[in-house]
Every structure is written in structure tokens, then in C-alpha cells.
Amino acid sequence: MTQPRLLLCDCLNTQAIDAGLIEQATGLTCSKIHTQLCRGEAAQAAEALQAGNVIIACQQERQAFEDLAADLEADEPLFVDLRDRAGWTADTRSTSPKMAALLAESILPTPGAKVVDVTSEGTCLILGDSEAALTAADHLCELLSVTVILEPADELPLADDRRFDIVRGRVTTATGALGHFKVGFDALQERIPGGRGAFNWTDPKSGGRTECDIVLDLRRGQPLFPAPEKREGYLRADPGNTGAFTKVLLDASQLVGTFEKPLYVRLDEQLCAHSRARKTGCTRCLDLCPTGAITPGGDSVAVDTMVCAGCGSCSAVCPSGAISYDAPPVSHTFQRLQTLAATWRKLSSDAPRLLAHDSSHGAELIRLGARYGKGLPADVIPLEMEAIASFGHTESLAALACGFADVTVLLSPATEKEGMPFQAELSNAIAGENRVCLITPSDPDELEEILYREQSPVTAKQPILPLGSRRQITRLAAKTLNEPGKVIPLPEGAPYGSVVLDQDACTLCLSCVSLCPSGALKENPDAPQLRFQEDACLQCGICTTICPEKALTLDPRLDLSDDALRARVLKEEEPFNCVECGKPFGVRSTVMRLTEKLAGKHAMFQDNKAIQLIQMCDDCRVNAVYHSENNPFASAERPRVRTTDDYISKRRDH
């Protein structure tokens, strides 16, 4: 496929663009520098659109160019914003390296989104006091199939509107999302139709259940769901706020039809370290999920894709990669980071800085700062993320190891912030020098004040190519950013580390080996050994929970030496040789300890033959018990099989 042609515009001479340097760094064919491509030079834009395969370096007038392409029946062009993110700046340094980096990143192929169809037929449940709920029902009943749920003590006004149903009850449970809500009730009463005067109600019943597509909650109490603003199909407003009340009515009226629900995360249950044998281990994603979409599901967690709002927190904290952001995949983020850094290096020997932000709050601050303030510094490259909470320690370390001097993560009011501070702390523990920071600016001036502070120059080391799993990339980045063989202490809760074994307490029962989800703890089938491979340890804690002697403790750290990649012996003992056949089995210290504790002190081990059973392998022990005088497997002699002759002789005798 041929490279697309790039249309450049300096927006009425308000930004400096060097087409030659951009061509040199990206390989794209550039047009001349236009001045007003969206208006005065629209004819030239139309000519380029008709030729096809075009990138327009202007995001602000996107609608105008899309309309022009539609009028010409031409393919829609690609767009990239150079003006607000690079061209409009008070920084006097060259912006060509940043422009080239942004262009190279914009033409990367983006993986297609994974979606599932969600159908809403418009069945709507309205909760609230009688005045607010009935007013909402009156507005929506012509568009939706409405049922109003009033509190048990509420009385109906003197009205007889049969366009919607009215019941009374108390909501006890609620699950699901748009198109799949399930709601449970107690004290449920239905209207009794007919008769004169006020309506009568059926007797209250418990255990009522209903299903609906939309829930409109006009109560002033607690919401039905955690993070209610992230639950699709669940609309909530204070009826005293006229603007909010009107908005939820409008939103509810639009929720009829078939919608595409993105599948935000991917789950590999085999990699999950949540639990083994009912012993709970890792709960990192469960602790952070704001909507409750992640729940325990046996040995692994389960993800309700209909409830998942795609914040990405789970992906950032998962130690094994069992759950990862998939809209787009994590690997695409690493590819973007590598492309930005590599393209920058073609035009500049200085290390750039990375600004990770979301597509709403962060992008708007950048646009406002460019138009009315100083704009971004020339060495700050913005990276727009679909879910900023998914930008964890691995992404930050990968950016640093790709050649960025530092990483700034711009959090918005809507960002799930609970897990972000720890991710930054973990990044700085590994990278050092506080090169990763979180910021929460409320306006463009505050953002510019942070970014324009004097920065210490950072010499970029040999950059990495961030390929592989998150753990592999973290280790590769850490080795690039630190001295060879360094052992880095990490904060408690880090997903990397070792285990410390109490040699005196451990009996080599190997229960920890049987339940280790990652295989970090291993046995030796030829000898009584407990071995450990540090690189594989997830610090899930299952081993410390299952150990009957409490001999294991976690030690969060990151060992960058090759020793972490090899299994080392934590404890080794001499095997015991069977007193009958000589075959080695078990651990000598354990067998001798049992012999000492039981010999002559337990009713079953009063003589030497019984004591020797402890010192036999499994096969010899079974054989010895079978042939012993007190064989528990013994039974009476089997009766002789009766034959035809026996029956004949019996008849003769009679």
C-alpha cells in the first residue's frame, strides 16, 4: 500500500511547519504549506480528497473536511492534530521532532474494536416518590414501556392513567446493565383494577422479581449500583434539579434499539492467581473495580462484560496478565510509545517528555492552553489514552526505556484514581529519580505551570523494543534503567518479589508447590527439595496462606540479575530409605520425627513391627499390613461355590 499524502496548513500563519524535516522523519509525502486549507484553499483540499489516501493535519475543522469529502463522494481522510498539540506554543525550540512523532504515531494501524450487540426494547422501571416518578412516566410512556415503583407508604394522586403500570414495593436487589437489568422487591403490591373511588392494592408479597432494559432512579437516597454514572442504562437524577431531570428523561427516551457494547478487557482464566483450593490469593483487580464487574469465580475471577465500564484499572494491576485492556490491546500502547520515541530521535538528540492524558478533560486542557495560553512545551509529547487508568507502571517504565526523559500522567475528574498513586510509586521505585508523576490540573494555566518548570537534562540510554508480556517488558525496561544485577526493593503489594523461608519451620510438605499458580515454587521429583524461580513469582500470597507451618513470607523486590530467571533451592534434605526395600522416600528428618513421637507413645505403635510401618515406602507398607496378623483387609474364608452335584446329592439325601 502506498504511503498517504499529508496536507499541511499553518492556520493563517500562526504556526511554523518544516515539511522537509517531517518528510525526512516519517517518509510521508507532504504538500506545500497551506494557509487556509479549510476555507480560502478548499479547492486544493477537494482536489487532494478526490485523489484519495490523504491525511489532513488539522483536527479542528474535521467536520468541514468530512462534509467536503461526502459532497465529492470521496473516501473520508485521516486526521491528526498538529496545531494544538505542537504548533501553537510559546516555546521557541523547534517543534518538528514532535510533529513528526505525532504523525508517525497517527498512521499506525489501530486494531478493530471488539463489540457485542445489546438490544433494548424500551422496558423502563422508574423509581422515586409519586410526584417525580409519575411526572417522568407521563413524559416517557408514549416512547417506552413504563412501570413505576412507589414506596410502600406512598399514596397515589387522584388520577387514573392507564398508559403505564404502577406498583408499590421496596427494592432489595439490582443487577445487570442496559438491556439486562434484574431487580428484586419486598412488600410488592399491585393495583387492583376496577371499582369506584381510590385504588385498592393486593396484599404485600416478598421475593418479587422483574426484568427491564432501563432503570430511571429519581430517589434522593443511595444509588442501586456502585459507580452509578458508569452503569449503562441506569439513569439517576435529583428531581429537584430541573436541568438534570430533563436530561435523564431525554437520555432514557434514546435508549431503544440495538447498541454496540465494547468489550474492554480480555481474561485468560488459566493465568489468574486469584485462588487455589479455596485459598484466596491475588485480589488486586477485585479491590479496584469501581462498577463491581469483576467478581470471584472459583480459582479465577469472572468479568461481566455488560457491566464493565472500561476504566482499565484491572489491566494496570494484574500481576500475571490474566486480565488486560483490549480496546485497543496493551501491545498497541507499547507500539505507540516506541514509534513516538523512535521518530523523535531521528530529528533530535535530546530526550522528549511524555504527557499521558484522556480524550476528554486532558485533551480539552491542551486545546485551551494552545489557543489562549502558552501551549505545550516543544519537548512534551502528548499521548491520548482511551482509559488513562490502564496506564500503569509497565507503560511508564516502557516509555522511559524507549527514550522519554520522564512521564507525566494527567488525571481527570472522571479517572479512577484509587490505584494510580501506587502505580506511580512502583514506577519510581524501579526507575528512580521520581521520573513518573501524577498531576490533576483544573485549568490550562496550572497545566502549563507544571510542564514549563525547568527540567534536568536526562541522557537517553540505548532504547528498548517493548515486546512481550507486561512482566517481560517491565523487567527489560528495569534492566535498561538500572545497573546490571541490581536488586531493587519494592513497596508492599508489588507484583514482583521473592519468598523468605524459615528453614527450621519448613517440613518440605510441598503444599505450597501444589497450589502456586505461576509455578514459581517447584519440587524436585528425584530428591526432597523446595525450589523457587523469582522471575515467575506474582506475590499473590497463596503460598503463605496454605503453608501449615507458616514458614513462608513475601519479600517484594525486583532482582535484575540472571539468578532470578533460574530455579534455586530454598531447602533440601536427605531422603529416608525404606527399611524394607531400600527405596528412597520422604524426608529423613520428618520420618525420624514421626518415629520419635509415636514409638511407644501411641496405642497403634507399641511394637517394632508397627513402628517399622512408619519407615516403609507406600508399597512396602501396604504389603506389610496385608500380611500382618491384624490385617485390616482380612476377612473370613470364602464359602465354596455350590455346583449342580451339590443340589442333586441334597435331593438324594431327602
Side-chain angles (χ1 to χ4, degrees), residues 114 263-269 271 303 314 321-327 329-330:
K114 300 178 179 67
L263 301 179
Y264 292 110
V265 299
R266 176 181 55 82
L267 174 65
D268 187 340
E269 296 179 354
L271 297 179
V303 179
C314 55
I323 189 168
S324 61
Y325 199 75
D326 202 35
V330 173

PDB file of all heavy atoms in Angstrom, residues 114 263-269 271 303 314 321-327 329-330:
ATOM      1  N   LYS A 114     -13.564  -4.733  19.548  1.00  0.00           N
ATOM      2  CA  LYS A 114     -14.400  -5.910  19.761  1.00  0.00           C
ATOM      3  C   LYS A 114     -15.680  -5.439  20.452  1.00  0.00           C
ATOM      4  O   LYS A 114     -15.627  -4.794  21.494  1.00  0.00           O
ATOM      5  CB  LYS A 114     -13.668  -6.938  20.615  1.00  0.00           C
ATOM      6  CG  LYS A 114     -12.366  -7.426  20.000  1.00  0.00           C
ATOM      7  CD  LYS A 114     -11.666  -8.402  20.928  1.00  0.00           C
ATOM      8  CE  LYS A 114     -10.366  -8.910  20.320  1.00  0.00           C
ATOM      9  NZ  LYS A 114      -9.348  -7.851  20.186  1.00  0.00           N
ATOM     10  N   LEU A 263     -16.150  -4.522  24.196  1.00  0.00           N
ATOM     11  CA  LEU A 263     -15.575  -5.491  25.124  1.00  0.00           C
ATOM     12  C   LEU A 263     -14.209  -4.948  25.536  1.00  0.00           C
ATOM     13  O   LEU A 263     -13.230  -5.079  24.812  1.00  0.00           O
ATOM     14  CB  LEU A 263     -15.460  -6.859  24.448  1.00  0.00           C
ATOM     15  CG  LEU A 263     -16.783  -7.454  23.952  1.00  0.00           C
ATOM     16  CD1 LEU A 263     -16.547  -8.802  23.283  1.00  0.00           C
ATOM     17  CD2 LEU A 263     -17.777  -7.582  25.084  1.00  0.00           C
ATOM     18  N   TYR A 264     -14.175  -4.332  26.699  1.00  0.00           N
ATOM     19  CA  TYR A 264     -12.999  -3.554  27.080  1.00  0.00           C
ATOM     20  C   TYR A 264     -11.811  -4.401  27.515  1.00  0.00           C
ATOM     21  O   TYR A 264     -10.660  -4.003  27.308  1.00  0.00           O
ATOM     22  CB  TYR A 264     -13.361  -2.603  28.221  1.00  0.00           C
ATOM     23  CG  TYR A 264     -14.302  -1.501  27.825  1.00  0.00           C
ATOM     24  CD1 TYR A 264     -15.617  -1.482  28.271  1.00  0.00           C
ATOM     25  CD2 TYR A 264     -13.881  -0.460  26.992  1.00  0.00           C
ATOM     26  CE1 TYR A 264     -16.484  -0.461  27.915  1.00  0.00           C
ATOM     27  CE2 TYR A 264     -14.738   0.555  26.625  1.00  0.00           C
ATOM     28  CZ  TYR A 264     -16.037   0.552  27.093  1.00  0.00           C
ATOM     29  OH  TYR A 264     -16.895   1.562  26.736  1.00  0.00           O
ATOM     30  N   VAL A 265     -12.061  -5.531  28.156  1.00  0.00           N
ATOM     31  CA  VAL A 265     -10.952  -6.304  28.714  1.00  0.00           C
ATOM     32  C   VAL A 265     -10.973  -7.734  28.206  1.00  0.00           C
ATOM     33  O   VAL A 265     -12.011  -8.255  27.775  1.00  0.00           O
ATOM     34  CB  VAL A 265     -10.979  -6.303  30.258  1.00  0.00           C
ATOM     35  CG1 VAL A 265     -10.841  -4.896  30.800  1.00  0.00           C
ATOM     36  CG2 VAL A 265     -12.252  -6.962  30.782  1.00  0.00           C
ATOM     37  N   ARG A 266      -9.797  -8.347  28.267  1.00  0.00           N
ATOM     38  CA  ARG A 266      -9.641  -9.757  27.890  1.00  0.00           C
ATOM     39  C   ARG A 266      -9.187 -10.521  29.125  1.00  0.00           C
ATOM     40  O   ARG A 266      -8.325 -10.069  29.881  1.00  0.00           O
ATOM     41  CB  ARG A 266      -8.593  -9.883  26.781  1.00  0.00           C
ATOM     42  CG  ARG A 266      -8.268 -11.314  26.382  1.00  0.00           C
ATOM     43  CD  ARG A 266      -7.200 -11.342  25.292  1.00  0.00           C
ATOM     44  NE  ARG A 266      -6.003 -10.607  25.683  1.00  0.00           N
ATOM     45  CZ  ARG A 266      -5.034 -11.110  26.449  1.00  0.00           C
ATOM     46  NH1 ARG A 266      -5.134 -12.339  26.928  1.00  0.00           N
ATOM     47  NH2 ARG A 266      -3.975 -10.393  26.746  1.00  0.00           N
ATOM     48  N   LEU A 267      -9.785 -11.699  29.350  1.00  0.00           N
ATOM     49  CA  LEU A 267      -9.474 -12.502  30.537  1.00  0.00           C
ATOM     50  C   LEU A 267      -8.968 -13.872  30.126  1.00  0.00           C
ATOM     51  O   LEU A 267      -9.613 -14.575  29.343  1.00  0.00           O
ATOM     52  CB  LEU A 267     -10.723 -12.651  31.419  1.00  0.00           C
ATOM     53  CG  LEU A 267     -10.588 -13.582  32.638  1.00  0.00           C
ATOM     54  CD1 LEU A 267      -9.571 -13.012  33.622  1.00  0.00           C
ATOM     55  CD2 LEU A 267     -11.936 -13.798  33.311  1.00  0.00           C
ATOM     56  N   ASP A 268      -7.798 -14.239  30.643  1.00  0.00           N
ATOM     57  CA  ASP A 268      -7.252 -15.583  30.468  1.00  0.00           C
ATOM     58  C   ASP A 268      -7.290 -16.256  31.840  1.00  0.00           C
ATOM     59  O   ASP A 268      -6.426 -16.012  32.694  1.00  0.00           O
ATOM     60  CB  ASP A 268      -5.821 -15.521  29.927  1.00  0.00           C
ATOM     61  CG  ASP A 268      -5.270 -16.897  29.574  1.00  0.00           C
ATOM     62  OD1 ASP A 268      -5.811 -17.901  30.073  1.00  0.00           O
ATOM     63  OD2 ASP A 268      -4.302 -16.971  28.810  1.00  0.00           O
ATOM     64  N   GLU A 269      -8.299 -17.082  32.065  1.00  0.00           N
ATOM     65  CA  GLU A 269      -8.524 -17.652  33.386  1.00  0.00           C
ATOM     66  C   GLU A 269      -7.349 -18.511  33.854  1.00  0.00           C
ATOM     67  O   GLU A 269      -7.085 -18.611  35.057  1.00  0.00           O
ATOM     68  CB  GLU A 269      -9.811 -18.477  33.380  1.00  0.00           C
ATOM     69  CG  GLU A 269     -11.059 -17.646  33.121  1.00  0.00           C
ATOM     70  CD  GLU A 269     -12.311 -18.496  33.092  1.00  0.00           C
ATOM     71  OE1 GLU A 269     -12.181 -19.749  33.168  1.00  0.00           O
ATOM     72  OE2 GLU A 269     -13.412 -17.923  32.998  1.00  0.00           O
ATOM     73  N   LEU A 271      -4.264 -17.993  33.653  1.00  0.00           N
ATOM     74  CA  LEU A 271      -3.166 -17.206  34.220  1.00  0.00           C
ATOM     75  C   LEU A 271      -3.545 -16.547  35.545  1.00  0.00           C
ATOM     76  O   LEU A 271      -2.681 -16.017  36.242  1.00  0.00           O
ATOM     77  CB  LEU A 271      -2.737 -16.119  33.233  1.00  0.00           C
ATOM     78  CG  LEU A 271      -2.166 -16.582  31.894  1.00  0.00           C
ATOM     79  CD1 LEU A 271      -1.821 -15.370  31.031  1.00  0.00           C
ATOM     80  CD2 LEU A 271      -0.938 -17.456  32.097  1.00  0.00           C
ATOM     81  N   VAL A 303     -15.507 -11.772  34.777  1.00  0.00           N
ATOM     82  CA  VAL A 303     -15.761 -10.404  34.337  1.00  0.00           C
ATOM     83  C   VAL A 303     -17.120 -10.345  33.639  1.00  0.00           C
ATOM     84  O   VAL A 303     -17.356 -11.082  32.674  1.00  0.00           O
ATOM     85  CB  VAL A 303     -14.659  -9.901  33.376  1.00  0.00           C
ATOM     86  CG1 VAL A 303     -14.966  -8.481  32.924  1.00  0.00           C
ATOM     87  CG2 VAL A 303     -13.298  -9.959  34.043  1.00  0.00           C
ATOM     88  N   CYS A 314      -7.966  -2.606  36.214  1.00  0.00           N
ATOM     89  CA  CYS A 314      -7.617  -4.013  36.392  1.00  0.00           C
ATOM     90  C   CYS A 314      -6.397  -4.395  35.569  1.00  0.00           C
ATOM     91  O   CYS A 314      -5.542  -5.163  36.010  1.00  0.00           O
ATOM     92  CB  CYS A 314      -8.805  -4.892  36.036  1.00  0.00           C
ATOM     93  SG  CYS A 314      -9.463  -4.606  34.369  1.00  0.00           S
ATOM     94  N   GLY A 321      -1.004 -10.815  33.917  1.00  0.00           N
ATOM     95  CA  GLY A 321      -1.515 -10.559  32.580  1.00  0.00           C
ATOM     96  C   GLY A 321      -2.770 -11.349  32.275  1.00  0.00           C
ATOM     97  O   GLY A 321      -3.199 -11.418  31.115  1.00  0.00           O
ATOM     98  N   ALA A 322      -3.385 -11.949  33.310  1.00  0.00           N
ATOM     99  CA  ALA A 322      -4.610 -12.708  33.093  1.00  0.00           C
ATOM    100  C   ALA A 322      -5.728 -11.810  32.599  1.00  0.00           C
ATOM    101  O   ALA A 322      -6.559 -12.220  31.796  1.00  0.00           O
ATOM    102  CB  ALA A 322      -5.028 -13.411  34.385  1.00  0.00           C
ATOM    103  N   ILE A 323      -5.753 -10.581  33.095  1.00  0.00           N
ATOM    104  CA  ILE A 323      -6.764  -9.626  32.657  1.00  0.00           C
ATOM    105  C   ILE A 323      -6.035  -8.413  32.094  1.00  0.00           C
ATOM    106  O   ILE A 323      -5.106  -7.890  32.713  1.00  0.00           O
ATOM    107  CB  ILE A 323      -7.701  -9.245  33.829  1.00  0.00           C
ATOM    108  CG1 ILE A 323      -8.883  -8.420  33.329  1.00  0.00           C
ATOM    109  CG2 ILE A 323      -6.975  -8.553  34.946  1.00  0.00           C
ATOM    110  CD1 ILE A 323      -9.977  -8.257  34.371  1.00  0.00           C
ATOM    111  N   SER A 324      -6.411  -8.001  30.907  1.00  0.00           N
ATOM    112  CA  SER A 324      -5.708  -6.891  30.270  1.00  0.00           C
ATOM    113  C   SER A 324      -6.672  -6.071  29.438  1.00  0.00           C
ATOM    114  O   SER A 324      -7.680  -6.588  28.927  1.00  0.00           O
ATOM    115  CB  SER A 324      -4.556  -7.393  29.394  1.00  0.00           C
ATOM    116  OG  SER A 324      -5.051  -8.224  28.356  1.00  0.00           O
ATOM    117  N   TYR A 325      -6.361  -4.790  29.297  1.00  0.00           N
ATOM    118  CA  TYR A 325      -7.193  -3.902  28.492  1.00  0.00           C
ATOM    119  C   TYR A 325      -7.097  -4.326  27.033  1.00  0.00           C
ATOM    120  O   TYR A 325      -6.022  -4.658  26.540  1.00  0.00           O
ATOM    121  CB  TYR A 325      -6.732  -2.457  28.670  1.00  0.00           C
ATOM    122  CG  TYR A 325      -7.773  -1.446  28.260  1.00  0.00           C
ATOM    123  CD1 TYR A 325      -8.871  -1.192  29.071  1.00  0.00           C
ATOM    124  CD2 TYR A 325      -7.671  -0.748  27.067  1.00  0.00           C
ATOM    125  CE1 TYR A 325      -9.838  -0.273  28.690  1.00  0.00           C
ATOM    126  CE2 TYR A 325      -8.625   0.169  26.678  1.00  0.00           C
ATOM    127  CZ  TYR A 325      -9.712   0.409  27.504  1.00  0.00           C
ATOM    128  OH  TYR A 325     -10.672   1.311  27.121  1.00  0.00           O
ATOM    129  N   ASP A 326      -8.237  -4.290  26.349  1.00  0.00           N
ATOM    130  CA  ASP A 326      -8.252  -4.833  24.993  1.00  0.00           C
ATOM    131  C   ASP A 326      -8.956  -3.917  23.999  1.00  0.00           C
ATOM    132  O   ASP A 326      -9.373  -4.366  22.938  1.00  0.00           O
ATOM    133  CB  ASP A 326      -8.953  -6.198  25.010  1.00  0.00           C
ATOM    134  CG  ASP A 326      -8.558  -7.068  23.821  1.00  0.00           C
ATOM    135  OD1 ASP A 326      -7.390  -6.993  23.396  1.00  0.00           O
ATOM    136  OD2 ASP A 326      -9.416  -7.805  23.319  1.00  0.00           O
ATOM    137  N   ALA A 327      -9.099  -2.632  24.351  1.00  0.00           N
ATOM    138  CA  ALA A 327      -9.827  -1.724  23.452  1.00  0.00           C
ATOM    139  C   ALA A 327      -9.132  -0.362  23.350  1.00  0.00           C
ATOM    140  O   ALA A 327      -9.648   0.635  23.841  1.00  0.00           O
ATOM    141  CB  ALA A 327     -11.265  -1.534  23.966  1.00  0.00           C
ATOM    142  N   PRO A 329      -5.695  -3.227  22.385  1.00  0.00           N
ATOM    143  CA  PRO A 329      -4.849  -4.068  23.228  1.00  0.00           C
ATOM    144  C   PRO A 329      -3.662  -3.305  23.803  1.00  0.00           C
ATOM    145  O   PRO A 329      -3.218  -2.288  23.261  1.00  0.00           O
ATOM    146  CB  PRO A 329      -4.376  -5.168  22.261  1.00  0.00           C
ATOM    147  CG  PRO A 329      -5.350  -5.151  21.140  1.00  0.00           C
ATOM    148  CD  PRO A 329      -5.815  -3.737  21.014  1.00  0.00           C
ATOM    149  N   VAL A 330      -3.148  -3.834  24.915  1.00  0.00           N
ATOM    150  CA  VAL A 330      -1.998  -3.222  25.578  1.00  0.00           C
ATOM    151  C   VAL A 330      -0.795  -3.159  24.636  1.00  0.00           C
ATOM    152  O   VAL A 330      -0.027  -2.195  24.650  1.00  0.00           O
ATOM    153  CB  VAL A 330      -1.658  -4.017  26.849  1.00  0.00           C
ATOM    154  CG1 VAL A 330      -0.365  -3.507  27.471  1.00  0.00           C
ATOM    155  CG2 VAL A 330      -2.798  -3.919  27.858  1.00  0.00           C
TER     156      VAL A 330
END
